[in-house]
Amino acid sequence: MKLFAVTGNPIAHSKSPELFALAYGTAQEQFAYFRLAADSASEAFGICKDLGIRGINITAPFKSDFVSLSTHLSPEVQTLSCCNTLLFEGDEVKAYNTDIEGVLGALRQAEVPLDGLSCLVLGAGSAGRTAAYALHSVGAKVTIVNRTLEKAQSAAQSIACLHISAQEIEGYLPQVELIVNTISGEQSLLPTQSLSPQHTLFDAVYHQSSFRDISKQQGCRYIAGNYWLLHQAIPSFRRFTGVAPDVEAMRAIFTERKSSPRHIALIGFMGTGKSTIAPLLAQMLGLPTVDTDVEIEQRCAMTVPEIIAQRGITYFRQQEQAVVHELLARSESHVISCGGGVITQSALAQRLKSSATVVWLYASPSVCLERINVATRPLLAQQSEPLQAAQQLFAERKFAYAHTAHLLINASVNNPQVISQKIYDQIHTLHQH
Ligand code: S3P
């Protein structure tokens, strides 16, 4: 079984996890794919190593930062100093840049003839450099422009293409056919009133692109960045799995309507802070909150340790199943804090995944043990080596957590307020689409 993750700027690439999840289709039991929220490349890298993640699809703003963490760089990554796909193979970490295929695939799909095409790339960051490199490699005439001239100059030098200053854009536009924008809306360098029907505008920034309407107004052709996203995902998927993806399933993500907001379920090993974080998150979201263990205790008029000691773990799981089903059936959205073992019943875990946005709070078993009173945890209390027992239990459950989660949040730092805020930001982004 293999774990994959996607990591990076939550706003720019929030659809990527679904892209891959859809393509896995019937092979779902072999793979788990989820979004990994992180504040830095090194944080995401550490979690990948901890969990034995097999590959990640990296999004802005971490595409350059992962290069120095990798042991093998593809020739394109060496030239461009940015990557979007990482494979972990034993101690080796291999970095690739499939955004090159993303750019070319999108333009080919739009039937733009590339050989000899006069292109202006706005931005010399990782997306800009990659677009310029891709276009140059197929014989287009490429010019890079960037607010900071030196950045444009050094990018152009590494790719062997041209560069101009931001002040020169307006005068340059009449000789340009394709404009690739990699700079987000408000900072855009483009004098939009100078766009004309001779221009095709390919916007890498697909989240709330302002250029769609502008292109319409100016009578020029518009190509959405979604196609870039799709076409980079295809070779990344192949690298992850060794097989070709179901491209039509991937494509469907762009036409699918997001269902209305649903429950939010927190899962994760005992001690990751689910019960503390759920009420904080619920308050931020203005939703009611509920804790499955508390519900079970109320139903049975006994504590969880008493239930497990007197009636057995199977009885407890039955109660848990009934409670989770009942909570998920409620029409009002809730923030649900789930007991750490909820994912051990696979049908229940799948039901959870289909009815809630599932957030996996992750901390290593040793960090978890520091936070809990082992004596009050029935699955660990009788163990002579609680740490070993917890590590063993986590190893057995890891894939089930990954398979159930939409999103992983690092809960290693014991700061419930900060973690709640992170979840809130991510949930907001996921529900915006
Ligand atoms: C369990 C975790 C506990 C509780 C029960 C079983 C588990 O919840 O549901 O003791 O199997 O991991 P917490 O994760 O809230 O401790």
Short mmCIF file of all heavy atoms in Angstrom, two decimals, residues 268-272 274-275 291-293 296 304-305 308 313 316-317 320 337-342 344 372 376-379 393 397 401, ligand 1:
data_model
loop_
_atom_site.label_atom_id
_atom_site.label_comp_id
_atom_site.label_asym_id
_atom_site.label_seq_id
_atom_site.Cartn_x
_atom_site.Cartn_y
_atom_site.Cartn_z
N GLY A 268 -7.55 10.81 14.04
CA GLY A 268 -6.13 10.80 14.40
C GLY A 268 -5.91 9.98 15.65
O GLY A 268 -6.86 9.65 16.38
N PHE A 269 -4.67 9.68 15.91
CA PHE A 269 -4.32 8.83 17.04
C PHE A 269 -4.68 9.53 18.35
O PHE A 269 -4.79 10.75 18.41
CB PHE A 269 -2.80 8.57 16.99
CG PHE A 269 -2.39 7.28 17.65
CD1 PHE A 269 -2.86 6.07 17.18
CD2 PHE A 269 -1.52 7.30 18.74
CE1 PHE A 269 -2.47 4.88 17.78
CE2 PHE A 269 -1.13 6.11 19.34
CZ PHE A 269 -1.61 4.90 18.86
N MET A 270 -4.86 8.72 19.41
CA MET A 270 -5.16 9.34 20.70
C MET A 270 -4.01 10.28 21.09
O MET A 270 -2.84 9.99 20.86
CB MET A 270 -5.39 8.27 21.78
CG MET A 270 -4.47 7.10 21.76
SD MET A 270 -5.10 5.76 22.81
CE MET A 270 -4.81 4.34 21.77
N GLY A 271 -4.38 11.42 21.64
CA GLY A 271 -3.36 12.39 22.06
C GLY A 271 -3.02 13.42 21.00
O GLY A 271 -2.15 14.26 21.21
N THR A 272 -3.69 13.38 19.86
CA THR A 272 -3.37 14.38 18.83
C THR A 272 -4.16 15.67 19.05
O THR A 272 -3.96 16.65 18.32
CB THR A 272 -3.63 13.84 17.40
OG1 THR A 272 -4.92 13.23 17.37
CG2 THR A 272 -2.58 12.85 16.98
N LYS A 274 -7.72 16.02 19.24
CA LYS A 274 -9.02 16.11 18.54
C LYS A 274 -10.11 16.74 19.42
O LYS A 274 -10.82 17.65 18.97
CB LYS A 274 -9.49 14.71 18.10
CG LYS A 274 -8.51 13.97 17.21
CD LYS A 274 -9.00 12.59 16.86
CE LYS A 274 -9.14 11.61 18.01
NZ LYS A 274 -7.91 11.08 18.59
N SER A 275 -10.19 16.25 20.67
CA SER A 275 -11.27 16.72 21.55
C SER A 275 -11.10 18.19 21.95
O SER A 275 -12.07 18.88 22.20
CB SER A 275 -11.34 15.88 22.82
OG SER A 275 -11.47 14.53 22.46
N ASP A 291 -18.52 15.03 20.28
CA ASP A 291 -17.38 14.12 20.47
C ASP A 291 -17.95 12.70 20.53
O ASP A 291 -18.81 12.42 21.37
CB ASP A 291 -16.70 14.52 21.79
CG ASP A 291 -15.40 13.77 22.02
OD1 ASP A 291 -15.42 12.54 21.96
OD2 ASP A 291 -14.38 14.45 22.27
N THR A 292 -17.49 11.82 19.67
CA THR A 292 -18.11 10.49 19.61
C THR A 292 -17.96 9.73 20.93
O THR A 292 -18.88 9.05 21.36
CB THR A 292 -17.54 9.64 18.44
OG1 THR A 292 -16.14 9.48 18.63
CG2 THR A 292 -17.81 10.28 17.10
N ASP A 293 -16.79 9.86 21.58
CA ASP A 293 -16.60 9.16 22.85
C ASP A 293 -17.59 9.65 23.90
O ASP A 293 -18.15 8.85 24.67
CB ASP A 293 -15.17 9.35 23.37
CG ASP A 293 -14.17 8.44 22.65
OD1 ASP A 293 -14.62 7.53 21.92
OD2 ASP A 293 -12.96 8.65 22.81
N ILE A 296 -20.99 8.24 23.20
CA ILE A 296 -21.06 6.82 23.58
C ILE A 296 -21.21 6.70 25.11
O ILE A 296 -22.02 5.91 25.61
CB ILE A 296 -19.80 6.05 23.09
CG1 ILE A 296 -19.74 6.07 21.55
CG2 ILE A 296 -19.78 4.62 23.62
CD1 ILE A 296 -18.40 5.64 20.97
N VAL A 304 -15.65 5.38 28.74
CA VAL A 304 -15.11 4.51 27.69
C VAL A 304 -14.29 3.36 28.30
O VAL A 304 -14.50 2.19 27.94
CB VAL A 304 -14.31 5.32 26.63
CG1 VAL A 304 -13.54 4.39 25.70
CG2 VAL A 304 -15.24 6.22 25.84
N PRO A 305 -13.37 3.65 29.24
CA PRO A 305 -12.62 2.51 29.83
C PRO A 305 -13.56 1.47 30.47
O PRO A 305 -13.33 0.27 30.36
CB PRO A 305 -11.73 3.17 30.88
CG PRO A 305 -11.58 4.59 30.42
CD PRO A 305 -12.85 4.94 29.74
N ILE A 308 -15.21 -0.63 27.67
CA ILE A 308 -14.29 -1.60 27.07
C ILE A 308 -13.97 -2.72 28.07
O ILE A 308 -13.93 -3.90 27.71
CB ILE A 308 -13.02 -0.90 26.54
CG1 ILE A 308 -13.43 0.04 25.38
CG2 ILE A 308 -11.98 -1.91 26.06
CD1 ILE A 308 -12.31 0.88 24.79
N ILE A 313 -14.20 -4.66 23.54
CA ILE A 313 -13.90 -3.68 22.47
C ILE A 313 -14.90 -3.80 21.32
O ILE A 313 -15.26 -2.80 20.70
CB ILE A 313 -12.42 -3.82 21.99
CG1 ILE A 313 -12.02 -2.67 21.05
CG2 ILE A 313 -12.14 -5.15 21.34
CD1 ILE A 313 -11.83 -1.35 21.69
N PHE A 316 -17.85 -1.83 22.13
CA PHE A 316 -17.52 -0.40 22.00
C PHE A 316 -17.56 0.04 20.54
O PHE A 316 -18.13 1.08 20.20
CB PHE A 316 -16.14 -0.11 22.62
CG PHE A 316 -15.68 1.31 22.38
CD1 PHE A 316 -16.21 2.36 23.13
CD2 PHE A 316 -14.75 1.60 21.39
CE1 PHE A 316 -15.83 3.68 22.89
CE2 PHE A 316 -14.35 2.92 21.15
CZ PHE A 316 -14.89 3.95 21.90
N ARG A 317 -16.98 -0.78 19.67
CA ARG A 317 -16.96 -0.42 18.24
C ARG A 317 -18.38 -0.37 17.67
O ARG A 317 -18.66 0.46 16.81
CB ARG A 317 -16.11 -1.41 17.44
CG ARG A 317 -14.63 -1.39 17.80
CD ARG A 317 -13.92 -0.15 17.28
NE ARG A 317 -12.52 -0.11 17.71
CZ ARG A 317 -11.90 0.95 18.20
NH1 ARG A 317 -12.54 2.10 18.32
NH2 ARG A 317 -10.66 0.90 18.57
N GLU A 320 -19.77 2.84 18.67
CA GLU A 320 -19.11 3.90 17.91
C GLU A 320 -19.72 3.99 16.50
O GLU A 320 -20.02 5.07 16.00
CB GLU A 320 -17.61 3.55 17.81
CG GLU A 320 -16.74 4.67 17.29
CD GLU A 320 -15.26 4.34 17.46
OE1 GLU A 320 -14.85 3.19 17.12
OE2 GLU A 320 -14.51 5.20 17.94
N SER A 337 -15.55 15.26 16.63
CA SER A 337 -14.29 14.70 17.10
C SER A 337 -14.47 13.20 17.23
O SER A 337 -15.32 12.73 17.98
CB SER A 337 -13.94 15.34 18.45
OG SER A 337 -12.87 14.64 19.02
N CYS A 338 -13.70 12.44 16.47
CA CYS A 338 -13.88 10.98 16.44
C CYS A 338 -12.86 10.29 17.35
O CYS A 338 -11.71 10.73 17.44
CB CYS A 338 -13.69 10.45 15.03
SG CYS A 338 -14.83 11.14 13.84
N GLY A 339 -13.25 9.21 17.94
CA GLY A 339 -12.31 8.39 18.70
C GLY A 339 -11.20 7.90 17.77
O GLY A 339 -11.43 7.72 16.57
N GLY A 340 -10.02 7.70 18.33
CA GLY A 340 -8.84 7.36 17.52
C GLY A 340 -8.99 6.10 16.70
O GLY A 340 -8.30 5.92 15.69
N GLY A 341 -9.91 5.21 17.10
CA GLY A 341 -10.03 3.93 16.39
C GLY A 341 -11.17 3.89 15.39
O GLY A 341 -11.47 2.83 14.85
N VAL A 342 -11.77 5.04 15.12
CA VAL A 342 -12.95 5.04 14.24
C VAL A 342 -12.62 4.49 12.85
O VAL A 342 -13.49 3.90 12.19
CB VAL A 342 -13.56 6.47 14.16
CG1 VAL A 342 -12.72 7.39 13.29
CG2 VAL A 342 -14.99 6.45 13.69
N THR A 344 -10.81 2.00 12.15
CA THR A 344 -10.53 0.56 12.10
C THR A 344 -11.69 -0.22 11.47
O THR A 344 -11.54 -1.36 11.09
CB THR A 344 -10.25 -0.02 13.51
OG1 THR A 344 -11.39 0.27 14.33
CG2 THR A 344 -9.01 0.59 14.13
N ILE A 372 -0.69 12.14 26.82
CA ILE A 372 -1.83 11.44 27.42
C ILE A 372 -1.44 10.73 28.71
O ILE A 372 -0.27 10.42 28.94
CB ILE A 372 -2.47 10.41 26.44
CG1 ILE A 372 -1.44 9.34 26.02
CG2 ILE A 372 -3.06 11.11 25.22
CD1 ILE A 372 -2.02 8.24 25.16
N THR A 376 -5.44 6.01 31.56
CA THR A 376 -6.86 6.23 31.22
C THR A 376 -7.19 5.76 29.80
O THR A 376 -8.30 5.96 29.32
CB THR A 376 -7.22 7.73 31.32
OG1 THR A 376 -6.43 8.44 30.34
CG2 THR A 376 -6.94 8.29 32.71
N ARG A 377 -6.21 5.18 29.11
CA ARG A 377 -6.44 4.73 27.73
C ARG A 377 -6.47 3.22 27.69
O ARG A 377 -5.43 2.56 27.81
CB ARG A 377 -5.33 5.24 26.78
CG ARG A 377 -5.08 6.71 26.88
CD ARG A 377 -6.25 7.48 26.30
NE ARG A 377 -6.20 8.87 26.74
CZ ARG A 377 -6.60 9.89 26.00
NH1 ARG A 377 -7.08 9.71 24.79
NH2 ARG A 377 -6.54 11.11 26.48
N PRO A 378 -7.65 2.65 27.56
CA PRO A 378 -7.79 1.21 27.71
C PRO A 378 -6.91 0.38 26.77
O PRO A 378 -6.48 -0.71 27.15
CB PRO A 378 -9.27 0.96 27.41
CG PRO A 378 -9.85 2.25 26.96
CD PRO A 378 -8.92 3.33 27.34
N LEU A 379 -6.61 0.90 25.57
CA LEU A 379 -5.83 0.08 24.64
C LEU A 379 -4.35 0.05 25.00
O LEU A 379 -3.60 -0.79 24.51
CB LEU A 379 -6.00 0.57 23.20
CG LEU A 379 -7.42 0.54 22.64
CD1 LEU A 379 -7.41 0.84 21.15
CD2 LEU A 379 -8.09 -0.80 22.88
N LEU A 393 0.44 -0.01 17.11
CA LEU A 393 -0.96 0.31 16.80
C LEU A 393 -1.03 1.36 15.68
O LEU A 393 -1.82 1.24 14.74
CB LEU A 393 -1.65 0.83 18.07
CG LEU A 393 -3.17 0.90 18.09
CD1 LEU A 393 -3.79 -0.47 17.85
CD2 LEU A 393 -3.64 1.46 19.45
N ARG A 397 -2.53 1.21 11.81
CA ARG A 397 -3.64 2.08 11.44
C ARG A 397 -3.29 3.15 10.41
O ARG A 397 -4.18 3.80 9.88
CB ARG A 397 -4.15 2.82 12.69
CG ARG A 397 -4.85 1.93 13.64
CD ARG A 397 -5.27 2.75 14.84
NE ARG A 397 -6.12 1.97 15.73
CZ ARG A 397 -6.64 2.45 16.84
NH1 ARG A 397 -6.39 3.70 17.19
NH2 ARG A 397 -7.40 1.70 17.60
N TYR A 401 -5.90 5.70 8.38
CA TYR A 401 -6.02 7.15 8.58
C TYR A 401 -5.87 7.88 7.24
O TYR A 401 -6.66 8.74 6.88
CB TYR A 401 -4.95 7.68 9.55
CG TYR A 401 -5.20 7.38 11.02
CD1 TYR A 401 -4.25 6.74 11.80
CD2 TYR A 401 -6.40 7.75 11.62
CE1 TYR A 401 -4.47 6.47 13.14
CE2 TYR A 401 -6.63 7.48 12.97
CZ TYR A 401 -5.66 6.84 13.73
OH TYR A 401 -5.89 6.58 15.05
C1 S3P B 1 -9.48 4.59 20.90
C2 S3P B 1 -9.31 5.93 21.17
C3 S3P B 1 -10.10 6.65 22.18
C4 S3P B 1 -11.40 5.91 22.48
C5 S3P B 1 -11.15 4.47 22.74
C6 S3P B 1 -10.51 3.76 21.58
C7 S3P B 1 -8.66 3.96 19.85
O1 S3P B 1 -10.39 7.95 21.74
O2 S3P B 1 -12.31 6.04 21.41
O3 S3P B 1 -10.36 4.38 23.89
O4 S3P B 1 -8.99 2.85 19.42
O5 S3P B 1 -7.65 4.58 19.42
P1 S3P B 1 -9.27 9.14 21.68
O6 S3P B 1 -8.57 9.01 20.35
O7 S3P B 1 -10.09 10.38 21.77
O8 S3P B 1 -8.36 8.94 22.80
#
